Amino acid sequence: MANPDIQAGFNYHNATKHSYRSVRTNTHFLDWANQPLPFKIYPRLDLIPLPREFREIGVPALSTIAHVAQRDISIPSLQTLSELLYFSAGVTRRRTFPGGEIYFRAAACTGALYEIELYFACGPLADLEPGLYHYAAGEFGLRRLRAGDFRGALVEATGGESSIAHAHLIVICTGTYWRNAWKYQARTYRHFGWDNGTILANLLAMSNALEWPAKVMCGFVDSDVNRLLDLDTEREVAFSLVSIGRVEDLPSAPPAEILLLRLETVPLSKREVDYPAMRIMHAASSLLTPEDVALWRGSTLVVSPVRAVGELLHLKPLGDTALPPDSTEQVILCRGSTRRFAREPISFVELSTILDRSTRGVPADFLNLFGAQVNDLYLIVNAVEGLPSGAYFFNRERRGLELLKEGDFRREAGYLGLDQELPADTSVAVFFLADLDTIFQRFGSRGYRAVQLEAGIIGGKLYLAAYALHLGTSGLTFYDDDVVTFFSPHAEGKSAVFLVALGKSAKRT
Ligand SMILES: Cc1cc2nc3c(=O)[nH]c(=O)nc-3n(C[C@H](O)[C@H](O)[C@H](O)COP(=O)(O)O)c2cc1C
């Protein structure tokens, strides 16, 4: 195995669990005077402004989240790049409050702290020089970090992955520890996966709308990608790559040496607090050579069929012709986390459509079959017409729900979701659980990155599916072990990974 330190993954996971007691004994407080800047800014590089006039591409969101484009029909231009980036991670809303202003983005993010940065490497595009660029979300522009075609360096760093080798451009997503750890301390490393994932749900949907094939990469030589971006890895690290588009020609070989840039960036805060557990986890899950990467990728998960445990209630999703026409861009613009749910039911067709469309598949290097998943979905159904309230397991292969226990579990849902009202009021709380032992045996500790990232991507798709149906959603956090206990014996041995509430917003969405 390429990154054999499995124990490191368990150590980090166990050390960052929330429990009723851990939350109440934590003395951490928010130091508002030291709040980090939500954007990375290179003050000495010129800004290349991106066009702000967007076309209406108009492909329904419920279609783009469910498929991957098969054909590549256009070379990216500043216009289409601008659409891809804006609807993935752009500033879509601003809200002023007494202490300042929050710049809300296209994708949901824990605490609205936006610790994920986007960069891309491209060859010659319609109206952009080859280069390595940073997406300056706050100023809506690009800054070129390196001139020239550096895709070849990423081909090498991914052990020659074919979709990277044939991509128009390769998006690189990084996580900045302090920007999120200011509030969430060492749990931030989980948030890297969640918050990167919600961005990728949008990015995959938009590249589908723009008809560019796309694939998510978790496997790459960390030090090579970090060096290409010239990151200070004590503070910021590459987390995922995405190939966009497909061209026949291979990029030229990378330069023999990637020179350091030492580019100045604006400090995030007056001072930063280091949480070493995250850096230890990152180092233990790092891949060191292209051979390690190829070996790692060879171990993609072979999904064994899930054994049915109870009567199967087949999903009844809307068919292709009955889908609401709301386009991907419209849905992203009206998306926002629901702050209060009405205690009203949604229909079984709505729930079925959301689950069906969000779980049709993630194109990723850690999943050898489109449609495979490393996370399992468990539901607390509070109010769905025609479905008894209770706890359910979503049998993905058989596209149905299995009742684990019937009853009114609103109070339990509220408790499990960190004693918040949202999961108690909502119609359905969707919990993601994963068998970390199996995942670590196959992927080493890097499986932890994959499992959190996949949860974020599917969670992001749940957001888009719900808003396409004019319903509400919110990501939530949870008491780890209590979630597993609640869904046991079915969930015995698994770990809690992610939580999303689905329902009707108390105000219209
Ligand atoms: C993974 C995840 C977990 C979240 N957890 C909570 C939570 O526990 N409680 C809450 O009120 N909001 C939670 N949120 C919602 C965020 O606070 C929200 O996404 C952020 O403020 C940005 O706002 P927006 O989603 O409306 O754009 C979560 C969001 C995500 C993506």
Side-chain angles (χ1 to χ4, degrees), residues 9 16 24 43 76 189 196 205 244 347 359 407 422 462 489 504:
T16 56
R24 279 156 189 81
Y189 200 76
N196 190 173
I244 303 284
S347 71
T359 60
L422 290 165
L462 291 173
K504 286 193 177 157

Side-chain angles (χ1 to χ4, degrees), residues 74 86 126 187 221 273 300:
S74 64
Y86 179 75
R187 203 164 151 103
V221 179
V273 181
T300 53

